[in-house]
Amino acid sequence: MNKNYSLQDLSEVAKAIIASAKNKTLLFYGQMGVGKTTLIKEICKQLGVLDTISSPTFSLVNEYKTSKEEIVFHFDFYRITQEEEALDMGIEDYLYNNDWCLIEWPENIENLLPLDSVEIHLSILENEQRNIQLK
């Protein structure tokens, strides 16, 4: 998928990501303020998360439950400076448990990520539009 979108298209984009995801580990790349957390909130909504969704910048991970009793983990590794920090929190247990793992700033734990993760690259365009590329 390579698509330009605006906030009005967010629901459609989130549904398309979920439908095309080859597994449940989604990696969100993009500069600060590009809309990673906003997109993750919409993906969580589409997955049926009923909890309040917020960025786990300080806690590193938030856990949400869906209406179908599935678990969604939302990670924010912006503050991670060494991969050992992620290992200490048990990242491998999260990544290989077949639960949804939505990861902001995955480049900070690059060597720990499953090879078949879905990469989602976001960039800012003119007129409040965003571009999304799935790899």
Side-chain angles (χ1 to χ4, degrees):
M1 172 194 306
N2 186 350
K3 177 180 177 63
N4 294 345
Y5 69 96
S6 64
L7 276 177
Q8 295 89 316
D9 306 319
L10 204 55
S11 178
E12 172 191 322
V13 169
K15 288 176 186 176
I17 290 170
I18 294 166
S20 66
K22 58 187 173 207
N23 69 42
K24 293 182 175 181
T25 301
L26 308 180
L27 312 177
F28 295 82
Y29 293 89
Q31 68 189 47
M32 183 81 70
V34 75
K36 294 181 294 290
T37 301
T38 301
L39 179 55
I40 287 173
K41 285 179 180 182
E42 185 61 31
I43 289 171
C44 288
K45 180 180 169 186
Q46 296 301 322
L47 289 171
V49 170
L50 305 174
D51 304 317
T52 301
I53 302 156
S54 62
S55 180
T57 302
F58 296 101
S59 62
L60 299 180
V61 62
N62 287 344
E63 179 180 331
Y64 311 117
K65 190 175 279 191
T66 71
S67 57
K68 296 178 182 176
E69 300 296 314
E70 290 183 298
I71 302 294
V72 178
F73 294 106
H74 177 192
F75 299 89
D76 185 332
F77 290 121
Y78 179 73
R79 297 187 179 281
I80 291 282
T81 57
Q82 297 181 1
E83 290 180 343
E84 289 77 25
E85 295 175 65
L87 288 171
D88 289 345
M89 69 174 283
I91 188 66
E92 292 170 320
D93 292 333
Y94 292 104
L95 294 176
Y96 298 100
N97 203 16
N98 201 35
D99 292 314
W100 286 97
C101 291
L102 313 178
I103 303 175
E104 296 185 58
W105 303 101
E107 55 269 38
N108 292 345
I109 62 160
E110 189 172 39
N111 295 315
L112 306 177
L113 298 168
L115 294 176
D116 60 349
S117 300
V118 178
E119 292 185 18
I120 300 168
H121 295 265
L122 302 170
S123 57
I124 299 174
L125 304 173
E126 295 178 15
N127 302 326
E128 300 291 318
Q129 290 234 326
R130 304 294 194 259
N131 177 266
I132 183 167
Q133 293 181 14
L134 266 60
K135 299 180 181 180

